[in-house]
Amino acid sequence: AQKITQTQPGMFVQEKEAVTLDCTYDTSDQSYGLFWYKQPSSGEMIFLIYQGSYDEQNATEGRYSLNFQKARKSANLVISASQLGDSAMYFCAMRLSGGTSYGKLTFGQGTILTVHP
Amino acid sequence: DVKVTQSSRYLVKRTGEKVFLECVQDMDHENMFWYRQDPGLGLRLIYFSYDVKMKEKGDIPEGYSVSREKKERFSLILESASTNQTSMYLCASSLTGYSYEQYFGPGTRLTVT
């Protein structure tokens, strides 16, 4: 069975600094997608970035980049130039292909990021 | 823009009541999902549906059932609410395929007293 692990319950970063949120995953499938979501205190889940298992380059979306190391089964989120509005819960998730998975997402436990001014 | 709406943001029910949580999406997505979110546990999948009238159990289906009579609507039913079902419930929808993200509703915070 697939599993996502986020080992950092909470992280602190100074405004304008970069921060890395850790995510490791476990699956025996070859085809899968990795996602990061942001959940502010208001509760909505906001999709940030996606990395496919066959993508050779790390995904980037604005200030977000995904440090994908397939052999180590890690998919860390890097946020550059942190802003106060980045304070939120961040979830890493994995989605398998095919079979009866129908695109189910498996989530990690989440990391609470606090950005200090 | 994809929109996923949920019938209530906050709900308070009594133990033993039957509870309906409704979710509607407007983007013709095949797949719909119900999760519950609890501190320290992340999001856990309760049920999902890949087509009208089709449903599959997720990781924690006990005490829940679902209904999908129309493609855009997916209902979560707590047959007899219990205090351990107090939680945040999130609905999501997506296209089929592992590269597609799921779109989430705003969540329903359910309290069972």
Side-chain angles (χ1 to χ4, degrees), chain B residues 10-54:
Chain B
Y10 300 93
L11 209 52
V12 179
K13 295 291 181 181
R14 293 195 180 276
T15 302
E17 279 193 82
K18 190 168 186 175
V19 181
F20 293 87
L21 302 182
E22 299 237 306
C23 175
V24 178
Q25 52 96 2
D26 67 358
M27 280 302 290
D28 204 35
H29 285 171
E30 301 93 359
N31 304 317
M32 296 188 75
F33 308 83
W34 275 107
Y35 297 90
R36 66 175 280 176
Q37 181 179 4
D38 301 288
L41 298 178
L43 279 73
R44 293 178 292 167
L45 182 65
I46 305 170
Y47 266 97
F48 68 101
S49 169
Y50 52 91
D51 201 351
V52 175
K53 297 191 187 294
M54 306 304 288

Side-chain angles (χ1 to χ4, degrees), chain A residues 31-33 35 37 39 42-43 45 47 50 54 91 95-97 100-105 107-109, chain B residues 9 31 33 35 37 40-43 45 48 50 90 94-102 104-106:
Chain A
S31 301
Y32 50 89
F35 300 81
Y37 283 85
Q39 187 181 43
S42 54
M45 294 282 283
F47 164 70
Y50 162 81
Y54 294 113
F91 289 101
R95 189 173 186 184
L96 301 181
S97 70
T100 57
S101 71
Y102 296 105
K104 293 185 292 183
L105 277 176
F107 284 86
Q109 306 93 318
Chain B
R9 286 302 303 269
N31 304 317
F33 308 83
Y35 297 90
Q37 181 179 4
L41 298 178
L43 279 73
L45 182 65
F48 68 101
Y50 52 91
L90 290 158
S94 77
L95 294 170
T96 296
Y98 69 85
S99 63
Y100 293 104
E101 71 268 34
Q102 291 185 7
F104 284 82

Side-chain angles (χ1 to χ4, degrees), chain A residues 34-73:
Chain A
L34 295 157
F35 300 81
W36 277 92
Y37 283 85
K38 172 184 177 182
Q39 187 181 43
S41 56
S42 54
E44 76 271 27
M45 294 282 283
I46 302 166
F47 164 70
L48 294 178
I49 195 166
Y50 162 81
Q51 178 85 41
S53 58
Y54 294 113
D55 294 342
E56 294 188 352
Q57 292 201 334
N58 287 342
T60 60
E61 287 287 347
R63 293 186 299 111
Y64 305 108
S65 61
L66 201 153
N67 184 0
F68 181 47
Q69 298 189 44
K70 196 170 181 177
R72 297 180 61 184
K73 292 190 175 179

